[in-house]
Amino acid sequence: MGSLAWEVIGVIHTDGDCAEWTFPAEPGAVRAARAAVRDQLHGWHLDCLADLAELLVSELVTNALRHAAGPVGVRLVRPAGIGDTLRVEVSDPLPDPPRERVAHPEDESGRGLQLVAGSSRRWGTSPGESGKTVWFELAVPG
């Protein structure tokens, strides 16, 4: 990640089938999360998913920063064996699940979850011990 490494609170685990990071609740977290996701997918030879995964992570991390006051976690789970799905999770300390809303053409925000829903194979939310996780799955081309 080069010069962005200082923005990461800690890399929890980055080899094997899972990579996980925690970013501080500050604007640089979006850029750092995008770079971490892109670098990890490149390392896993999943560059074909990098642009979309980076965009959707950016949306979810931005939402977390807008609504939560604590650190944001990002986790990638690579398909095991011949699996065909990449799972991406973004966690924050706010327990309230996000809500999709209809954005009007003049609105500057409100399209993030629509983008996630329309671009991923599946998506959802899961309650955590202290907060929630918003996740999505992307199809891995065969």
Side-chain angles (χ1 to χ4, degrees):
M1 285 186 13
S3 64
L4 297 178
W6 65 271
E7 295 176 336
V8 178
I9 290 176
V11 175
I12 299 166
H13 180 88
T14 56
D15 39 273
D17 294 324
C18 179
E20 207 169 328
W21 305 267
T22 302
F23 301 95
E26 58 190 40
V30 176
R31 186 177 71 243
R34 289 172 62 108
V37 166
R38 180 168 291 284
D39 289 349
Q40 187 64 50
L41 292 178
H42 177 73
W44 284 345
H45 306 290
L46 293 175
D47 295 289
C48 57
L49 297 178
D51 288 341
L52 182 55
E54 187 179 349
L55 173 64
L56 299 182
V57 163
S58 178
E59 291 293 333
L60 294 179
V61 171
T62 298
N63 283 351
L65 292 175
R66 271 195 188 127
H67 303 289
V72 178
V74 176
R75 182 173 185 254
L76 305 178
V77 180
R78 181 171 59 171
I82 309 176
D84 64 352
T85 303
L86 173 73
R87 184 176 174 103
V88 181
E89 301 172 351
V90 176
S91 302
D92 66 57
L94 188 68
D96 303 328
R99 289 182 309 230
E100 274 189 87
R101 63 182 203 141
V102 176
H104 300 288
E106 66 276 4
D107 291 345
E108 293 184 18
S109 64
R111 294 173 183 81
L113 287 178
Q114 289 177 339
L115 185 61
V116 171
S119 302
S120 60
R121 177 179 274 183
R122 295 184 325 143
W123 78 280
T125 62
S126 306
E129 290 179 21
S130 59
K132 68 169 169 315
T133 298
V134 180
W135 56 268
F136 61 89
E137 295 176 346
L138 299 177
V140 175

